[in-house]
Amino acid sequence: MEHKSASSNFIRTIVQEDLQSGKVKQIVTRFPPEPNGYLHIGHAKAICLNFELADEFNGKTNLRFDDTNPLKEDKEYVDAIKEDVKWLGFEWDGLYFASDYFEEMYNRAVLLIKKGKAYVCDLSAEEIRATRGTLTEPGQESPYRNRSVEENLDLFERMRRGEFKDGEKVLRAKIDMASPNINLRDPVLYRISHTPHHHTGTKWCIYPMYDFAHPLEDAIEGVTHSLCTLEFEDHRPLYDWVVRECEMEHQPQQYEFARLNMTNTVMSKRYLKQLVDEKVVDGWDDPRMPTISGLRRRGYTPESIRTFAREIGVSRSNSVVDARMLEHFLREDLKLKAPRTMAVLRPLKVVIVNYPEGQTEMLDAEINPENPEMGIRQIPFSREIYIEQDDFMENPPSKYFRLFPGNEVRLKHAYFIKCVDVIKDEDGRVVELHCTYDPETKSGSGFTGRKVKGTIHWVEARSAVPAEFRLYDSLFLDEQDAADQSLLDRLNPNSLEIVHGFVEPNMRQAKPQDKFQFFRHGYFNVDPKYTTDDHLVFNRIVPLKSSFDIKKQS
Ligand code: ATP
Ligand code: MG
């Protein structure tokens, strides 16, 4: 798979230097998700960074499931993550599970005990927290800290055998309770959890903690550059301690970069899961979700997401990226690819009273004026059509150039029509318009007799295909992730609007995930979940225009 080369960033510079100096012969990176939820656009940043770096420098990238916490993990997530990485366009070299290394990790923990670098501690989680100290005060040593090697070996083995209950004992590293880095104050390495694991079943009832497991996983796989987000910067000394004290042959190096945050959304599996569990959204792949599967169902392309990930760059300062930037790259990607077509989202019937009854003509229309190679489509035109309700006003303000009584507009790809009568129901609502057309004004005929100011879209009534349109707004009202407010209080009550209208007859062929540009409305994707053989559902990916200025963003 070809990828445009990654734009320059500080990690790329480090990799280049390591290769030039011979410190590293071939780079190995990894993407290490915990299978406790679906991937989101933040993960896409990490995926692109790892895979594109390796691609560029002829290295390797592993997909590794960091499955060390059976309580929250599930096979469903493993499968979804694999699908998402593939869909983004990447192929992993090795596919690994941290749980495959449990035996080796156990042996390394035994080595630590033998070296007097780890001990079994009977303090509860709360007691450990309470004795950890603060930024200004050292922690207190555990009363179990000086157990003999023999006792520790015996207890650790019995922990493994299942002799103790959850929380009764842990294995802790013996480092320094007075270290200025709190992560080094005898961190927990193993905990007891009698929870079946999605990959290892009931084989284990002790599980390694992230800070112990992760460096070992990287070392076992020969990872050279272990990229993670900035919160782990303070964990790096512990990462290095584990690699060194466990006497790992290969020494991986951790580098941190800023997490991706975006406006008007949340970017944490925990919160996203809450939205799913509380049924605020229609599953992990709800088109409003910032998940990869949600973006895919909404209609985003892998190309647009990869370009976005590349353009936001990789740095060490946290910032919030404007969600409209992703929309910008989608428009850029679909501009040349998506066929143009007309859709009427909120229909109003128009009868063209001087057009012969029973006649239908086929009109030529370019499939994509920005990409003439896509050719021509034919659209039917007859005496009855639908137009958009808001393309008509009975009493328009000045500067309204669309249809109103007595006014003439151009029907895209067809003729000029003039409104001659307005039909209303008993309640006074406009239900139908009568218009006349001028055969001289046919689109493409070179007619120059007079000009009109408005061009509106339409769909021929008899052949029109009914369709459902789902129009989205952001899930959250406020731009920033306001941690002090409950998630549900921040929700945008109008994030989904469903309307019913019509599309051109050639859209009968549309398949799930096909993408179109509806004239004046924006880019739409055929929804894969709700579309059936006789019910077309479209998700609006993005409207056509945005107030967003990409040039102002760097
Ligand atoms: P979450 O808080 O959403 O659960 P996480 O970091 O716990 O995220 P992991 O599955 O552990 O999720 O992450 C896998 C990889 O993706 C890690 O290397 C992590 O650094 C990276 N990652 C996660 N979120 C982001 C983000 N918002 N921006 C960039 N990288 C991210
Ligand atoms: Mg996590």
Side-chain angles (χ1 to χ4, degrees), residues 259-272:
R259 235 180 193 326
L260 168 66
N261 298 300
M262 260 164 70
T263 52
N264 303 91
T265 190
V266 289
M267 197 83 82
S268 158
K269 278 179 283 185
R270 187 159 64 94
Y271 293 130
L272 296 173

Side-chain angles (χ1 to χ4, degrees), residues 1-5 52 55 89-91 303 306 310:
M1 167 120 231
E2 272 282 308
H3 298 294
K4 261 190 250 165
S5 76
E52 290 181 355
D55 267 8
F90 299 109
E91 286 168 42
E303 292 82 0
R306 291 202 306 260
R310 206 174 295 129

Side-chain angles (χ1 to χ4, degrees), residues 294-307:
L295 293 169
R296 174 168 63 234
R297 201 178 136 200
R298 175 85 165 251
Y300 278 91
T301 59
E303 292 82 0
S304 62
I305 295 174
R306 291 202 306 260
T307 308

Side-chain angles (χ1 to χ4, degrees), residues 99-287:
S99 54
D100 287 337
Y101 312 141
F102 280 172
E103 191 68 44
E104 162 131 35
M105 289 177 186
Y106 179 85
N107 292 335
R108 299 286 167 171
V110 168
L111 174 66
L112 288 181
I113 294 174
K114 287 184 178 158
K115 291 166 70 174
K117 301 276 182 181
Y119 61 97
V120 173
C121 180
D122 298 5
L123 294 182
S124 68
E126 235 157 85
E127 288 165 326
I128 290 177
R129 211 173 303 127
T131 52
R132 197 165 38 194
T134 63
L135 285 175
T136 48
E137 280 170 59
Q140 292 154 250
E141 294 192 352
S142 160
Y144 306 98
R145 197 172 200 262
N146 294 314
R147 275 177 163 153
S148 69
V149 169
E150 290 68 34
E151 191 183 1
N152 281 322
L153 285 173
D154 176 59
L155 288 173
F156 189 50
E157 201 195 319
R158 287 164 60 197
M159 278 170 66
R160 176 183 183 166
R161 268 196 258 130
E163 288 189 23
F164 308 111
K165 290 200 284 290
D166 290 11
E168 218 177 305
K169 287 186 168 37
V170 292
L171 183 74
R172 293 176 74 175
K174 191 170 180 176
I175 310 180
D176 179 4
M177 287 308 289
S179 170
N181 184 331
I182 294 182
N183 293 301
L184 294 178
R185 294 182 188 170
D186 291 10
V188 174
L189 304 180
Y190 265 92
R191 68 195 186 290
I192 299 171
S193 178
H194 291 271
T195 311
H197 186 283
H198 64 96
H199 199 62
T200 57
T202 52
K203 183 166 182 220
W204 293 89
C205 63
I206 56 171
Y207 292 95
M209 303 299 286
Y210 176 91
D211 280 333
F212 180 63
H214 209 86
L216 295 182
E217 295 158 19
D218 286 342
I220 292 167
E221 288 172 21
V223 168
T224 54
H225 298 77
S226 175
L227 313 180
C228 64
T229 43
L230 276 179
E231 324 81 90
F232 291 99
E233 184 174 12
D234 291 345
H235 297 238
R236 196 185 334 132
L238 177 55
Y239 181 101
D240 293 339
W241 184 93
V242 170
V243 173
R244 188 175 64 245
E245 295 300 339
C246 289
E247 300 175 17
M248 302 306 290
E249 222 171 283
H250 175 78
Q251 290 175 21
Q253 198 70 52
Q254 173 181 303
Y255 298 95
E256 309 88 17
F257 63 95
R259 235 180 193 326
L260 168 66
N261 298 300
M262 260 164 70
T263 52
N264 303 91
T265 190
V266 289
M267 197 83 82
S268 158
K269 278 179 283 185
R270 187 159 64 94
Y271 293 130
L272 296 173
K273 185 165 190 305
Q274 191 185 339
L275 297 175
V276 173
D277 290 346
E278 299 192 19
K279 301 207 170 10
V280 171
V281 295
D282 175 27
W284 286 96
D285 66 348
D286 185 298

Side-chain angles (χ1 to χ4, degrees), residues 471-518:
L471 311 176
Y472 300 101
D473 199 350
S474 47
L475 258 182
F476 293 96
L477 287 169
D478 45 343
E479 284 204 350
Q480 306 284 328
D481 198 335
D484 54 337
Q485 258 187 66
S486 110
L487 197 62
L488 302 185
D489 289 343
R490 296 175 46 211
L491 284 174
N492 174 3
N494 304 312
S495 57
L496 168 62
E497 183 188 6
I498 299 179
V499 294
H500 293 90
F502 298 98
V503 291
E504 294 179 19
N506 46 36
M507 295 293 280
R508 273 187 209 285
Q509 272 87 50
K511 300 274 176 306
Q513 296 294 111
D514 281 355
K515 292 156 187 58
F516 300 92
Q517 188 198 99
F518 292 161

Side-chain angles (χ1 to χ4, degrees), residues 58-85:
N58 290 315
K60 289 190 152 80
T61 305
N62 296 335
L63 173 60
R64 179 212 307 148
F65 289 97
D66 206 348
D67 55 348
T68 54
N69 185 3
L71 255 185
K72 295 187 176 158
E73 296 163 3
D74 201 275
K75 171 90 164 42
E76 176 198 347
Y77 301 134
V78 170
D79 296 339
I81 289 170
K82 280 162 58 177
E83 186 187 348
D84 287 350
V85 174

Side-chain angles (χ1 to χ4, degrees), residues 227-501:
L227 313 180
C228 64
T229 43
L230 276 179
E231 324 81 90
F232 291 99
E233 184 174 12
D234 291 345
H235 297 238
R236 196 185 334 132
L238 177 55
Y239 181 101
D240 293 339
W241 184 93
V242 170
V243 173
R244 188 175 64 245
E245 295 300 339
C246 289
E247 300 175 17
M248 302 306 290
E249 222 171 283
H250 175 78
Q251 290 175 21
Q253 198 70 52
Q254 173 181 303
Y255 298 95
E256 309 88 17
F257 63 95
R259 235 180 193 326
L260 168 66
N261 298 300
M262 260 164 70
T263 52
N264 303 91
T265 190
V266 289
M267 197 83 82
S268 158
K269 278 179 283 185
R270 187 159 64 94
Y271 293 130
L272 296 173
K273 185 165 190 305
Q274 191 185 339
L275 297 175
V276 173
D277 290 346
E278 299 192 19
K279 301 207 170 10
V280 171
V281 295
D282 175 27
W284 286 96
D285 66 348
D286 185 298
R288 291 165 295 180
M289 293 278 270
T291 51
I292 309 280
S293 52
L295 293 169
R296 174 168 63 234
R297 201 178 136 200
R298 175 85 165 251
Y300 278 91
T301 59
E303 292 82 0
S304 62
I305 295 174
R306 291 202 306 260
T307 308
F308 170 77
R310 206 174 295 129
E311 294 296 324
I312 54 175
V314 178
S315 79
R316 283 182 55 85
S317 55
N318 279 311
S319 63
V320 180
V321 174
D322 194 317
R324 289 174 301 176
M325 194 162 164
L326 181 57
E327 299 183 350
H328 167 85
F329 291 115
L330 187 274
R331 289 191 196 94
E332 287 290 299
D333 185 34
L334 288 189
K335 196 163 65 185
L336 297 178
K337 292 183 192 165
R340 305 312 195 243
T341 174
M342 294 192 287
V344 174
L345 272 50
R346 297 172 185 84
L348 173 62
K349 175 76 95 43
V350 172
V351 178
I352 298 163
V353 292
N354 61 338
Y355 195 88
E357 262 180 79
Q359 176 176 313
T360 302
E361 65 183 298
M362 299 306 283
L363 302 171
D364 285 343
E366 267 184 302
I367 292 175
N368 187 342
E370 301 201 49
N371 186 1
E373 282 176 19
M374 290 177 79
I376 299 286
R377 74 183 190 282
Q378 293 216 302
I379 41 181
F381 182 77
S382 78
R383 186 179 158 90
E384 294 192 4
I385 62 173
Y386 294 112
I387 65 165
E388 211 66 64
Q389 282 167 17
D390 66 8
D391 280 340
F392 171 78
M393 275 184 100
E394 197 169 12
N395 301 298
S398 61
K399 304 249 169 87
Y400 184 86
F401 300 123
R402 290 171 274 167
L403 214 48
F404 55 87
N407 191 43
E408 193 173 43
V409 298
R410 176 193 299 280
L411 290 178
K412 180 77 177 169
H413 302 305
Y415 300 94
F416 290 6
I417 57 168
K418 182 193 245 171
C419 177
V420 294
D421 205 0
V422 180
I423 318 295
K424 297 178 186 174
D425 65 9
E426 290 152 14
D427 301 325
R429 274 189 302 252
V430 177
V431 291
E432 195 173 292
L433 301 179
H434 286 179
C435 292
T436 56
Y437 89 117
D438 178 354
E440 300 290 305
T441 60
K442 186 170 178 176
S443 183
S445 70
F447 174 78
T448 52
R450 62 186 183 279
K451 288 203 158 87
V452 289
K453 286 203 165 131
T455 298
I456 65 173
H457 61 276
W458 55 278
V459 175
E460 196 271 328
R462 223 161 7 111
S463 60
V465 181
E468 176 178 318
F469 305 95
R470 295 176 160 241
L471 311 176
Y472 300 101
D473 199 350
S474 47
L475 258 182
F476 293 96
L477 287 169
D478 45 343
E479 284 204 350
Q480 306 284 328
D481 198 335
D484 54 337
Q485 258 187 66
S486 110
L487 197 62
L488 302 185
D489 289 343
R490 296 175 46 211
L491 284 174
N492 174 3
N494 304 312
S495 57
L496 168 62
E497 183 188 6
I498 299 179
V499 294
H500 293 90

